[in-house]
Amino acid sequence: MLSSSVARPAWTITLASRSKWTPSETRCEVLFLAHETLPDRAELAGQRPPALDVSVVGANAALYASLGFRQTQISEHCPAELLDQTGLAALSDAVERAGVDSCPVRVCAEFVDASNRLCSADVLVYLFHGRSVCFVHLSSKASAMSDVSAELSCDVGLAVEESQRLALASAAFNIVPTFLWVFRAADHFIELANDATTEFIGCRKEDIYGSEWQKVVHPDDVAMTIASFASAAASNSDNVECHFRVMSPDGSFRRCIARGRAWRDADGRIARWFGLTVDIEDMSRLQDEARLAAENMARSEAHFRFMFQSNLAPMYFAEIDEPYNDMTRWHLVEANDAALAALGYD
C-alpha cells in the first residue's frame, strides 16, 4: 500500500479556484492522464464508448513522495513508469466510465514505487471540464475515499453547472446578430469575435484574430483605429469609440462605428476592451444624400436670388389668398431693385 505518513489534505479544490490550481499547491497525490475527447451520452446512444488511448503525462511531488521517491529522483523519472500495464488499463476503463456517466469513478490500480515494487491504491478518477486531461487522486486509506468521493461529486456537480452557464454564454455570444469582439489593450490584438462579425466580413475567425484584423480594415483607417484605443487607455477612460471602414465579402468597404467598454485587471489597469461594431454604411449614405440635396438646394436658391436681384425688369413675389382675382387679397412679399425703382422707392 502507499505510505500513510503523508497526511491526507482537505479536498478543497473548488470550482472557482481550479482553473488556477497547480499540483505544487497541494499535498494530494495526483496523477495526470491525457486522452482524446470523449463523446457525450447522446452521441453514444447506448453503445459502448470506443477504447481510449490513455497515457500518463505527469504526477505531482506528493505522489512521488508516497511512492518513496527522493526529490532528486523526480526530475529524472518518467511519469509513465509509475503504472504497469494492468494499472494503466484499469485507469483507462475508469476514464471511459467517468466520461459516460459524468461523475467520478473509483477503481483500484497497481503503481510502481521507487523500489520497483507494485503498490495497490484506491484511485478516484474524474474529468477536468470533460476535456483531454483528467486527474487521478490517490490515498492509502480506503476509508477516506468515501469522503473524497462525496466532496468531488459535489465539485463535479458545480463544474457541470458552470459548464452549462459557459455554454449558454458562448451560444448567446455567437447567436446575437450584433458584431461582438474582445480587444486586447496591450498589443491591440483581437482575442475573440462572434459569428456575426466573421459572417459580415466573410472570413474565418482565425483570419481576424491577433493583428490579422488590420487586413480587413481600410488601410487609411488602421492607424486611426489603433490610436483611438491607445488614447482611451492612456486617459484611463472606461469607454472608447471610433469610426473605420471594413471590407465586406464583395471587396467593397463599409463604414462602421465601434464602441467598447474597458475591462480592468486586478491592479485597475485596462487589460481588454469588450465591445460591438455597428454597420452604418446605409445610414451614412442616406446622410450623405440628404447633405448633398441640402447643398444643391442652397446653391439653387443662391443662384435664383442673384438672377432675381440683378434682373433689369421689375419682379415681385406675392402671396395670394383666394379668390385669386381679388387684388386686395394679394400680399407683396418681396420685390427686386428694378421693381422698387418703378414704384418710386430708392
Side-chain angles (χ1 to χ4, degrees):
M1 297 294 291
L2 294 178
S3 171
S4 59
S5 60
V6 178
R8 188 182 75 85
W11 293 80
T12 56
I13 307 171
T14 63
L15 177 67
S17 63
R18 185 183 298 153
S19 61
K20 301 179 180 179
W21 176 75
T22 59
S24 60
E25 295 175 348
T26 180
R27 292 176 296 167
C28 309
E29 300 97 336
V30 182
L31 188 73
F32 299 91
L33 303 180
H35 54 81
E36 64 268 27
T37 303
L38 286 159
D40 58 27
R41 186 183 293 273
E43 294 175 347
L44 291 174
Q47 301 178 3
R48 179 179 174 80
L52 293 177
D53 182 14
V54 177
S55 59
V56 179
V57 294
N60 71 340
L63 176 58
Y64 274 111
S66 296
L67 291 171
F69 286 86
R70 296 190 301 272
Q71 188 67 32
T72 54
Q73 296 176 291
I74 296 177
S75 60
E76 301 175 355
H77 191 270
C78 177
E81 297 175 359
L82 293 176
L83 283 172
D84 64 359
Q85 289 301 317
T86 303
L88 184 60
L91 294 187
S92 299
D93 181 68
V95 169
E96 293 177 6
R97 285 186 286 147
V100 173
D101 297 331
S102 300
C103 65
V105 175
R106 180 181 174 182
V107 295
C108 291
E110 299 287 336
F111 286 78
V112 181
D113 67 10
S115 301
N116 206 31
R117 294 175 301 183
L118 292 179
C119 303
S120 298
D122 285 322
V123 182
L124 191 66
V125 181
Y126 71 101
L127 301 184
F128 183 77
H129 284 183
R131 299 296 181 182
S132 60
V133 179
C134 72
F135 298 91
V136 182
H137 294 258
L138 299 93
S139 173
S140 60
K141 298 180 180 179
S143 60
M145 292 301 292
S146 59
D147 296 335
V148 174
S149 178
E151 294 180 22
L152 284 179
S153 295
C154 179
D155 201 32
V156 169
L158 292 174
V160 170
E161 293 180 6
E162 180 66 11
S163 297
Q164 292 173 343
R165 285 193 291 268
L166 290 175
L168 181 61
S170 177
F173 181 77
N174 282 307
I175 203 172
V176 294
T178 307
F179 314 141
L180 304 178
W181 41 261
V182 179
F183 196 72
R184 206 156 63 197
D187 49 19
H188 308 119
F189 280 11
I190 286 183
E191 284 189 322
L192 192 64
N194 68 342
D195 292 345
T197 302
T198 52
E199 290 170 2
F200 169 67
I201 300 172
C203 67
R204 302 172 304 168
K205 292 182 179 179
E206 293 78 8
D207 296 332
I208 60 173
Y209 282 174
S211 61
E212 294 298 304
W213 65 269
Q214 299 179 23
K215 296 179 180 179
V216 298
V217 172
H218 195 285
D220 295 341
D221 299 342
V222 172
M224 177 184 63
T225 302
I226 294 176
S228 297
F229 282 92
S231 176
S235 62
N236 205 32
S237 173
D238 286 330
N239 302 287
V240 64
E241 178 177 314
C242 58
H243 293 252
F244 50 82
R245 287 162 289 179
V246 175
M247 183 183 297
S248 60
D250 62 5
S252 63
F253 286 92
R254 297 182 65 85
R255 285 167 284 187
C256 297
I257 181 173
R259 293 189 176 97
R261 183 77 173 176
W263 180 86
R264 301 176 184 273
D265 58 21
D267 297 324
R269 295 187 295 266
I270 296 177
R272 290 172 176 80
W273 297 95
F274 291 80
L276 57 87
T277 299
V278 178
D279 178 12
I280 59 172
E281 178 64 29
D282 295 337
M283 181 181 68
S284 296
R285 285 182 180 177
L286 290 176
Q287 291 176 340
D288 290 344
E289 293 173 0
R291 182 171 58 254
L292 181 61
E295 292 173 354
N296 290 336
M297 180 67 72
R299 283 194 295 269
S300 297
E301 184 177 352
H303 180 70
F304 178 79
R305 183 161 294 279
F306 172 77
M307 296 294 296
F308 174 75
Q309 291 295 347
S310 61
N311 201 310
L312 298 179
M315 299 183 68
Y316 305 89
F317 282 114
E319 293 180 353
I320 305 175
D321 297 332
E322 294 183 358
Y324 300 126
N325 58 355
D326 185 356
M327 297 292 293
T328 62
R329 302 182 66 84
W330 289 26
H331 307 287
L332 184 64
V333 175
E334 191 172 357
N336 66 353
D337 292 342
L340 292 176
L343 294 174
Y345 294 96
D346 294 333

